[in-house]
Amino acid sequence: MSNPKEAIKEKSMVIQKEMLANLFTELSNAKANGKKVVYTFVPGNITELILAMDMLPVYPEINALQSGMRKKSGGYIKDAEKLGFSEDVCTYVKCDIGMMLNGNIGPTGEKLPEPDLLLLSYTGCFTFLKWFENLERLYPGVEIAMLHTPYQEDGVITDDQINYMVKQLKEEVIPKMEKVAGKKLDYDRLSKMLDNSVKAEDLWVKVLETAKNRPSSIDAYFAGVYYMGPLNTAFRGTEEAVTYYEELYKEVTARMDQGLYPVTPEGEMKEERFRLVVEGPPNWTNFREFWKIFYDMGAVIVASTYTKVGGLYDQGFRHEPGKPLESLAKYCMGCYTNLNLPQRVDLIEHYIKEYKADGFLINSIKSCNSFSAGQLLMMREVEQRCGIPVGFIESDLVDPRYFSYANIKNRLESYFQMLGQRKVILAQEETVI
Amino acid sequence: MKQAPDRLTSLLDECKSLAFDLNFSYAKQWKAKSKYRLLVGYLPIYVPREIIHAANGMAVGILGVGDRKQIIKGDAYYQSYICHLPRGIIEMALDSNLDNFDGFLFPSICDCVRNLSGMFKLAKRGKFTRYFDYPQNFQKNIGGTFYRELLETIINDMFKLNDMKITTKHLNDSIALYNHNRELIETIYNIRQEYPWRLSAVDVYHVIRAGMVINVEKHNEMLEEIVDLISEDFGEPMDNIRVVISGSFCEQPPIGMIKSIEMAGCYIVDDDFMLGSRWIQGNIKDSSSDPLNELVDSFLTQSAPSSAIYDVADPKGARLVKQVKMRNADGVIFCAASFCDPALLDRPSLQKSCDDAGIAHINFQFHENTGQFKVIKEQAGTFSDSIKLWV
Ligand code: SF4
Ligand code: SF4
């Protein structure tokens, strides 16, 4: 295993770091400053509503992934297992509960405030429901609001579903939020925030689409998870998020104009041997080593499904300032894991073709049935439709026991070898023609 | 000791062979009698079977293959860390077991079942396939409206296939039949609570499971006869403790496991094996001018708390404690399928509810095709002995 060099920091990275640091400072001072704290989830989040009521969001999955990156998750998971949680269940939940059992210390080393509201807007994953039921037991008496997002079981968002969500927002969720916030929702303010959301969303799509260029100047998975952060979490709807994406887009286009390759923690890539589409979340406990296997082999991820868990903006969705609640409802229902399997296969096929990928890879996550159940059939479908080599590896989000570096590296090396051979054959065929 | 009546033995044999007929021959024969009849398969746990019945259909429970069918293709569709149930179901779908089914419903219980609905779509199985995403909001004008629309969608799916309009009378009649069915099932559990030696837990299992693959009229007839027969005294009580089993509401425990638990000295006086058949608590009004509305209301207000329903004030734990007391049970056996997120994520808080109420409990995990029960038998035996000693 290598010892990664100091990561190169671009201006956008510095901006994002500052945004996060400020948020965590605000969170640690929340109680003193009388700010209310809302725990909620990333996919299908309704951050603009939280921010429009001057409350501060906390995302338990982000805490879990940060714990994974800081090598704390293994201990947290074991502590949750001691409490009776099975080895078999989603490790995000156990990591979060373990973190709480250990004082709820956040990524900056400061204690996270307890929630004033548990806002269960669960999109695309049934386990979220169980997760929050467990949180309720840990914070007895806390106010709870529940927003049920119907699944796109038939591959469309219906009017019935939109009405159901809007009614929940109007009659249950917003009144509870107002009660906790101690103020009424200002719809003008919400619309202005949604306006900012749209600006950031436009820029984010432009960033993603630069990967269509050859060579791509971004890695849309490993770097993509950083890029998507502000939009998918606490900053959607803010001016800061717009500034961040303006800066990011400027940097990416400048790199593209110079024909540069993606930036990695060890500097710029020097080649683009393979263009891949990846399905599934990354592993967080060994994120850097995992990424390194790819960039060492010249493999660039040009599109990924994981970066769409917070919305499919690249497929045209935008928040609508004129129809705030309807568009929040559509947003929740449109997130990637809320798509049915045929839609997911169609999307992957589209990415492979649009981004001219050489291969398709699944990182199947032990914890996450929402992503993983059905992936083997998806893989076959994609292989049949696109005729490109498909690869399959297994790991976990935050349980270090399920990341086998040697195993994953071996599999990926064989996969890249296969991709390499195919390239040679295709090149030969082209010469003959 | 008076022996079990012969008629009971033959009825139980019939239930046993129906329950594990993975070709669903009875249902297919029933359908073959008229081109207007429909077969609608549904997975654990709950669908309102009344609407299917009223549309001239039969709702057929698909509960997995247990240890009765070798999984060959199914394993190639699922990673090792996913529960066993969907492997067997996809195997059945790819073989001919589910041929002639018109549609499939996948109730919202977890992401495996949800994604399996998409796998059926990709594999083009059934003329309609729906993830039955019932509301998690229980306000009549919010979740109720949404639920009604959901039921209407399924009714429309069926109408497109057989052109049969559901009338008020049809639906009221279906509601009455299922009310009776649930009453009879409850009666069997009540008799068993008092005299658990008259029917073994495995017998009860077969009797209820048979009802998921035949028409409700026939099941009711069988249940009526069984209730009559077990109301008579026979058999002999054993010095067993009495337990409630919790957590097996989807993937089903192997029969050998249920048997081992009883043989180890634990009468199973209640369980959640086929929760869907007992989901609605009490009767649904069967003389309404808007029976669909009655079905909606029953879902909103009479659903059994379960791992599939959002449970804000923890009625699941309270219900379990109440159930243990009501059944006069000595303890709880938590018995969940391996990798079953809903059951396993609920387990710690259910255990806590038991601890708080001073109820003893143990816990097992299983696969539907687990073949070895030695350890389970030993643990259940120790559990039984410890309760006999200390309680
Ligand atoms: S199952 Fe997957 S989507 Fe759901 S909480 Fe766990 S990691 Fe998140
Ligand atoms: S056994 Fe559990 S995890 Fe498996 S399909 Fe059923 S509810 Fe889902």
Side-chain angles (χ1 to χ4, degrees), chain A residues 88 151 153 167 171 364 373, chain B residues 79 81 130 133 141 339 365:
Chain A
D88 291 354
Y151 185 57
E153 63 96 19
K167 267 200 260 175
E171 295 179 35
S364 180
Chain B
Q79 302 88 319
Y81 44 78
R130 292 227 172 258
D133 196 2
N141 68 326
F339 303 108
Q365 271 178 231

Side-chain angles (χ1 to χ4, degrees), chain B residues 64-344:
Chain B
V65 299
D67 52 4
R68 314 288 162 122
K69 184 174 167 73
Q70 208 192 341
I71 307 287
I72 301 159
K73 293 172 228 133
D75 278 342
Y77 282 81
Y78 283 101
Q79 302 88 319
S80 57
Y81 44 78
I82 289 179
C83 67
H84 213 270
L85 175 111
R87 299 161 200 271
I89 293 180
I90 201 79
E91 184 96 13
M92 285 201 279
L94 297 173
D95 289 347
S96 57
N97 302 58
L98 302 177
D99 288 1
N100 296 344
F101 277 60
D102 296 284
F104 297 98
L105 299 176
F106 297 80
S108 161
I109 169 68
C110 76
D111 298 327
C112 285
V113 168
R114 185 195 72 181
N115 290 3
L116 185 59
S117 71
M119 291 172 79
F120 268 55
K121 279 188 202 284
L122 281 171
K124 304 203 169 27
R125 291 297 183 274
K127 293 169 196 139
F128 69 90
T129 300
R130 292 227 172 258
Y131 177 59
F132 185 53
D133 196 2
Y134 38 67
Q136 298 290 354
N137 174 295
F138 300 94
Q139 297 303 317
K140 172 111 183 155
N141 68 326
I142 307 176
T145 306
F146 178 67
Y147 188 59
R148 187 177 176 117
E149 287 157 351
L150 204 61
L151 299 188
E152 281 165 352
T153 306
I154 296 166
I155 289 171
N156 194 35
D157 286 335
M158 294 186 290
F159 177 73
K160 280 194 224 148
L161 297 180
N162 69 355
D163 226 12
M164 303 278 284
K165 208 153 178 58
I166 295 184
T167 65
T168 302
K169 179 168 176 350
H170 280 146
L171 195 49
N172 273 324
D173 289 350
S174 305
I175 289 174
L177 280 166
Y178 279 100
N179 279 342
H180 190 42
N181 189 261
R182 281 190 302 271
E183 275 166 6
L184 289 163
I185 290 174
E186 249 4 79
T187 309
I188 290 179
Y189 272 89
N190 291 341
I191 295 174
R192 262 209 104 234
Q193 180 192 339
E194 296 264 326
Y195 312 104
W197 53 91
R198 289 188 194 163
L199 271 189
S200 71
V202 171
D203 291 334
V204 179
Y205 184 87
H206 289 148
V207 168
I208 315 295
R209 184 158 171 169
M212 296 177 71
V213 293
I214 59 178
N215 49 328
V216 62
E217 294 86 346
K218 179 176 164 70
H219 194 226
N220 283 353
E221 277 170 25
M222 293 173 98
L223 291 176
E224 277 164 10
E225 247 196 290
I226 291 169
V227 166
D228 279 351
L229 290 162
I230 63 170
S231 298
E232 298 292 322
D233 195 27
F234 60 85
E236 208 165 310
M238 315 253 289
D239 181 25
N240 283 359
I241 63 157
R242 303 151 59 82
V243 298
V244 169
I245 291 204
S246 169
S248 317
F249 45 81
C250 182
E251 183 171 323
Q252 298 291 292
I255 290 296
M257 182 168 164
I258 303 175
K259 217 179 259 176
S260 301
I261 292 172
E262 282 212 327
M263 278 165 60
C266 306
Y267 280 134
I268 301 167
V269 289
D270 213 336
D271 59 71
D272 55 6
F273 297 146
M274 267 151 293
L275 193 55
S277 304
R278 305 168 67 202
W279 181 275
I280 297 296
Q281 314 278 286
N283 280 344
I284 305 172
K285 191 173 169 203
D286 59 6
S287 55
S288 169
S289 57
D290 184 3
L292 200 57
N293 184 45
E294 304 302 330
L295 282 175
V296 170
D297 276 354
S298 70
F299 176 81
L300 297 177
T301 61
Q302 292 167 249
S303 286
S306 81
S307 295
I309 292 277
Y310 179 54
D311 196 356
V312 65
D314 190 23
K316 275 194 296 268
R319 178 202 186 227
L320 183 61
V321 169
K322 198 169 138 206
Q323 192 182 23
V324 169
K325 296 201 165 134
M326 197 183 80
R327 292 287 181 213
N328 202 13
D330 302 296
V332 174
I333 297 184
F334 289 100
C335 192
S338 298
F339 303 108
C340 177
D341 260 21
L344 292 170

Side-chain angles (χ1 to χ4, degrees), chain A residues 41 43 61 89-93 123-128 131 281 309 337 365 367-371 397, chain B residues 111 341:
Chain A
F41 289 117
E61 306 121 290
V89 300
C90 169
T91 51
Y92 259 10
V93 184
T123 291
C125 164
F126 199 85
T127 298
F128 285 138
W131 190 340
V309 289
T337 47
I365 293 291
S367 268
C368 185
N369 288 344
S370 175
F371 259 102
L397 292 161
Chain B
D111 298 327
D341 260 21

